[in-house]
Amino acid sequence: MVPTMVLVADGSRDAHRKEALRDLADAVAERGEAPVLTAFGTRAELQATVEAVDGPLVAVPAFLAGGDMASAQLFAELNIADRFDACATAPLGAVPSIVAKLVGRLRAAGWRSGDGVVLAADAGPGNDDRRQVTDVARMLSRRVQAPVQIGYLNAWAPSVSDAVDRLRRNGHQRVAVATWQLVEGADLDRLRDIGATSVTAPLGPSPVVIDTLLAQHRAAKARLAA
């Protein structure tokens, strides 16, 4: 029996984001590899969705490691410890194919060699999230052959706006923001208002993101079958 994929993210406070998350889920479901359910609401809604699944399931984060603090907190509250037929995967993080897609998004947004680059993240309090963001920044820097500053949307310093300003003080008239997000939403609207030269589109639902989510599901399916 193919485990149900339950895609998890916080869409409770942003209708635009919730719609974009549903588009991501539809793109995964269209591949036909597994039944797909969504849990894009509150903690209670997430738990109810999981408990309603009859048969094996894999909970898959519909967000990036270090890219969505609210979703990471929601996912951490998921309780499937008492189920032998369920497991969870890690959020997508510093994966070469994902970072390569981010470079493509930069170029599509108008980034040019010599432009400053800020990686816009939303890491939570855990060290692992920030370590993933740091790894992504290093990989991105190697690919664009330029330093990459990290800027945070919410809890940490420097903010994205401060990181953009710092690069401009250091001589970069043009500064591109590389958005470490899977879907559209209010955070993207905020980034577009800070005055950067360009802001990338989110990474999903691009084929490489769908491929990677499904690869995680296949690996989890194998673990459950072992």
Side-chain angles (χ1 to χ4, degrees):
M1 185 176 185
V2 178
T4 298
M5 178 191 289
V6 180
L7 286 169
V8 181
D10 178 22
S12 61
R13 293 167 291 181
D14 183 345
H16 183 197
R17 171 180 165 78
K18 197 166 191 175
E19 182 180 352
L21 285 165
R22 287 184 179 129
D23 289 342
L24 176 67
D26 288 346
V28 175
E30 284 171 4
R31 295 288 187 91
E33 284 198 29
V36 176
L37 291 178
T38 61
F40 298 150
T42 63
R43 175 185 178 185
E45 290 168 341
L46 166 61
Q47 202 63 42
T49 299
V50 167
E51 290 173 1
V53 175
D54 183 16
L57 71 88
V58 178
V60 178
F63 57 90
L64 298 169
D68 186 344
M69 183 165 54
S71 290
Q73 290 170 343
L74 177 68
F75 196 79
E77 293 170 350
L78 173 64
N79 182 12
I80 54 174
D82 59 345
R83 293 189 58 157
F84 70 91
D85 61 347
C87 66
T89 70
L92 303 185
V95 179
S97 58
I98 300 294
V99 176
K101 186 64 182 179
L102 186 57
V103 174
R105 289 284 197 253
L106 272 172
R107 289 176 174 144
W111 172 84
R112 302 192 306 233
S113 179
D115 290 355
V117 179
V118 173
L119 178 66
D122 186 23
N127 288 332
D128 188 58
D129 268 3
R130 282 178 284 165
R131 186 162 47 247
Q132 287 274 354
V133 170
T134 299
D135 288 346
V136 170
R138 287 173 179 158
M139 293 168 69
L140 183 59
S141 177
R142 286 197 295 269
R143 285 181 176 270
V144 300
Q145 295 294 296
V148 173
Q149 296 272 343
I150 298 171
Y152 291 99
L153 283 157
N154 293 302
W156 301 99
S159 68
V160 178
S161 180
D162 287 344
V164 170
D165 289 344
R166 180 184 300 171
L167 283 169
R168 286 194 166 134
R169 287 196 303 271
N170 290 339
H172 292 277
Q173 292 185 344
R174 291 172 51 88
V175 178
V177 172
T179 306
W180 188 237
Q181 297 264 317
L182 271 190
V183 298
E184 289 276 355
D187 285 341
L188 268 294
D189 295 336
R190 287 168 53 200
L191 290 177
R192 292 176 181 125
D193 288 341
I194 66 173
T197 307
S198 60
V199 177
T200 67
L203 289 164
S206 60
V208 68
V209 167
I210 306 306
D211 289 344
T212 310
L213 291 173
L214 287 169
Q216 286 188 314
H217 179 270
R218 287 192 294 271
K221 175 185 173 182
R223 292 200 303 273
L224 289 174

